[in-house]
Amino acid sequence: MDVREGFIGTVGRTPLIRLAGLSAETGCEILGKAEFLNPGGSVKDRTALYIVRDAERRHLLNPGGTVVEGTAGNTGIGLAHICAARDYRCIVVIPDTQSPEKMERLRLLGAEVRPVPAAPYADPNNYQKVAGRLAQEIPNAIWANQFDNLANRQAHYETTGPEIWHDTAGKIDAFVCATGTGGTLAGVSRYLKERERNPPVRIVLADPMGSGLYHFVKHRVVKAEGNSITEGIGSSRVTANLADTLIDDAVQIDDQTCVDMVYRLLREEGLWLGGSSGINVAAAAWLAREMGPGHTIVTLLCDRGDLYAARLFNAEWLAGKGLTPKLPTARHHGGTPV
Ligand code: PMP
């Protein structure tokens, strides 16, 4: 029998998907790890699970306890699922600028949503800082603190990295992905760099415009330029999770390139994915061209497109941002196009 134990037993062990069109075009094997197949729908299920488990092991979180996090995105969704499965109360503090759909989704999953006015990170009323204070005030509560809680990168060191190594049978030349908290890149980099391989697996950070990390990798100073429609990625600081991570190179991907890739994946591969996956796959294609044919390059397909229906998949909204997806020409197999 192959049976998994509930939501928690279903997190991880996602397949690697070979992207046929891009692989043929570049002469490399371009593989996307299907994190959108996690039960809560994203790569962040792994982080949410490790944060809760770590707090349980250290007796910071006990039966009947509460998990508090400041997040508008996938970590909140992952935590809400896990809290439901483990019978914890879940409180999500989010800026009131976030879409009503996101708040509704979290409430549906049983989380208490506390919208607060948007404030910059340095402000004590920033949503993450409000979440930290709230957790201190409530007995038997933890602040998940995904940016600086190292249980986040440990999830990827113990699961995502080993799965990639195992599923490629060690035949991996490079790994590339964008970062939000940095947990994924940091955990995967640590695991792959420790493997016996000559040359070592090349680790590349993909960055959207408006994030300061491209400049950090290239020049050791965080500096941002421009902006991006992508959500959940990009950073204005080096988090505890990302600190001291071996990163060999970085590439910047602009929104037009990202949008074109998202629509190409939809039409060419039948994969409906979010913007961070567009950044990741565009970066993998860039890396394939830079490294030349014959290499195996792995990236992540972080979440599904449905969360972004009103934005990335809304032509009017895109046009308002000056973005028009370049659609690949239709390919008709096994018949004459009519
Ligand atoms: N893609 C999406 C859609 C995300 O929600 C996140 C997490 N915020 C990431 C990528 C980046 O992952 P990490 O936090 O591990 O850097």
Side-chain angles (χ1 to χ4, degrees), residues 43-44 74 156 178-184 231-233 276 302-303 308:
V43 63
K44 301 305 295 201
N74 284 318
H156 299 287
T179 79
T181 64
T184 312
E231 296 174 50
I233 54 172
S276 71
C302 304
D303 67 353
Y308 314 100

Side-chain angles (χ1 to χ4, degrees), residues 8 32 35 38 47 94 118-119 122-123 129 203 218 244 272 274 311:
I8 283 161
E35 292 303 295
N38 276 299
T47 298
I94 70 175
D123 190 317
K129 303 210 172 127
I203 303 292
K218 293 285 193 184
D244 305 320
W272 188 28
R311 297 158 66 101

Side-chain angles (χ1 to χ4, degrees), residues 57-70:
R57 281 195 192 126
R58 296 196 287 132
H59 302 290
L60 301 172
L61 185 63
N62 298 294
T66 302
V67 178
V68 186
E69 182 61 319

